[in-house]
Amino acid sequence: MKRIAVVGGRGFVGGELLRLLVHHPEVEVAAVTSDTQAGRAVETAHPPLRGSGLRYRRRSELEPVDLVFLAGVHGSTAEILDDMAALAPRIVDLTADFRIEDPALMERYYGWSRDGEHARAFVRGLPELHRKQIVDATRVAVPGCMATSAILSLAPLAARGLLQDVQVDARTGSSGSGASGGDANSHALRSGVLRVFAPFDHRHEAEVAEALGVDVSMTVTATPQVRGVQTLAKVSVGDVGERELLAMYREDYGPEPFVRLVNSARGTFRYPDPKVLLGSNFCDVGIVADHRGRALVMGSLDNLVKGAAGGAVQCMNLMLGLPETAGLTFPGLHPV
């Protein structure tokens, strides 16, 4: 059994990591940290983990492990990276600290920049696009949830030079803001809303642009759901028809265990919808085209699983030489 530590296990992403890891057939959770909750049972923050026996400890109490997940607040990884590297030969980072390689992009979108050498040491944590690099990597940075949906849904077009100027319309549930989301995320102010909170320049916009190599504009809307992300992108595809476009997606994603092409002629859920993905590690993608050379590209996922903890565990499996799907085969809940 591989020994795993989770640093920053109090938030929603940390809780999802633990939910997946405690039932993983090939690993054991050696430690979970939260300096403010040290000594307390993990189940006080994450009730589904009742009976796990896990307790928080201080980060200073960590012992060597095979791999460490860093799930603290954005900006925390850079401060502790050297200490963590001394304890674990492999690191999977779920913060934003090293998601973007270009220091200028990082400065523009986050207001800080990281050492370029450190940033280049991290592989982008999307197995569907970077599997070979992840297998050999010692450091992986998991993309943001909306970035993951947008990148995976648009990547087949980008790979064939069919993307130029891209506009992404992203919708996200309240858990995307974390366990400490502030007053705007309280039930009284979030319930029933369709709130455009980032008309332009959302931070995930930079990740999509860098990953796809095209100019991207992203608008983000807060929805009443707790979990779930959906991204829509309108693109020009010229004289490429829908049948040919679908063939491209089948070619790229047909063998993938966690990306599904959804474009059905019948049924209630004809296109990607996060409602049927809750708790799962799937990203559903779809594309439809009209007679004017335009296409709508769709992506959906659970922001806490494929958009964070599940994607991280998928990377862990590859880094440790385990079956890629281990611990990640839960199909989602329906109805919810």
Side-chain angles (χ1 to χ4, degrees), residues 100-107 119 210:
I100 300 170
E101 184 176 321
D102 184 349
L105 271 181
M106 197 70 183
E107 181 69 37
E210 186 173 75

Side-chain angles (χ1 to χ4, degrees), residues 35-239:
D35 284 357
T36 61
Q37 303 296 309
R40 296 184 181 180
V42 169
E43 66 189 46
T44 59
H46 306 299
L49 296 176
R50 287 173 180 150
S52 67
L54 294 173
R55 289 189 173 275
Y56 290 114
R57 64 177 67 178
R58 296 185 184 280
R59 193 177 69 243
S60 60
E61 299 170 348
L62 283 177
E63 298 177 353
V65 291
D66 294 297
L67 181 145
V68 62
F69 290 103
L70 303 181
V73 298
H74 297 317
S76 63
T77 290
E79 298 175 357
I80 64 173
L81 183 59
D82 290 341
D83 291 340
M84 296 300 99
L87 292 171
R90 297 173 183 85
I91 294 172
V92 178
D93 183 24
L94 291 101
T95 76
D97 289 29
F98 295 101
R99 289 175 179 170
I100 300 170
E101 184 176 321
D102 184 349
L105 271 181
M106 197 70 183
E107 181 69 37
R108 174 186 167 189
Y109 283 88
Y110 283 89
W112 73 69
S113 61
R114 297 299 184 213
D115 176 79
E117 184 176 347
H118 273 112
R120 286 189 293 275
F122 280 82
V123 173
R124 182 171 283 112
L126 283 177
E128 293 79 10
L129 304 183
H130 306 288
R131 184 171 283 108
K132 291 182 179 179
Q133 297 97 311
I134 293 170
V135 168
D136 296 326
T138 58
R139 297 179 181 182
V140 166
V142 177
C145 52
M146 291 177 291
T148 295
S149 179
I151 293 168
L152 290 178
S153 63
L154 290 164
L157 300 180
R160 293 166 175 83
L162 292 175
L163 288 184
Q164 295 180 6
D165 182 20
V166 180
Q167 295 183 344
V168 176
D169 176 10
R171 300 92 181 265
T172 180
S174 59
S175 61
S177 298
S180 303
D183 293 342
N185 243 20
S186 66
H187 179 72
L189 299 183
R190 185 70 182 244
S191 178
V193 304
L194 288 172
R195 180 189 303 141
V196 178
F197 70 89
F200 300 103
D201 293 332
H202 189 277
R203 291 171 169 180
H204 290 191
E205 179 180 286
E207 296 181 56
V208 180
E210 186 173 75
L212 299 179
V214 297
D215 187 37
V216 174
S217 175
M218 175 181 281
T219 296
V220 182
T221 300
T223 67
Q225 288 78 13
V226 174
R227 289 177 182 247
V229 157
Q230 183 182 68
T231 57
L232 306 177
K234 293 181 179 179
V235 299
S236 297
V237 292
D239 59 357

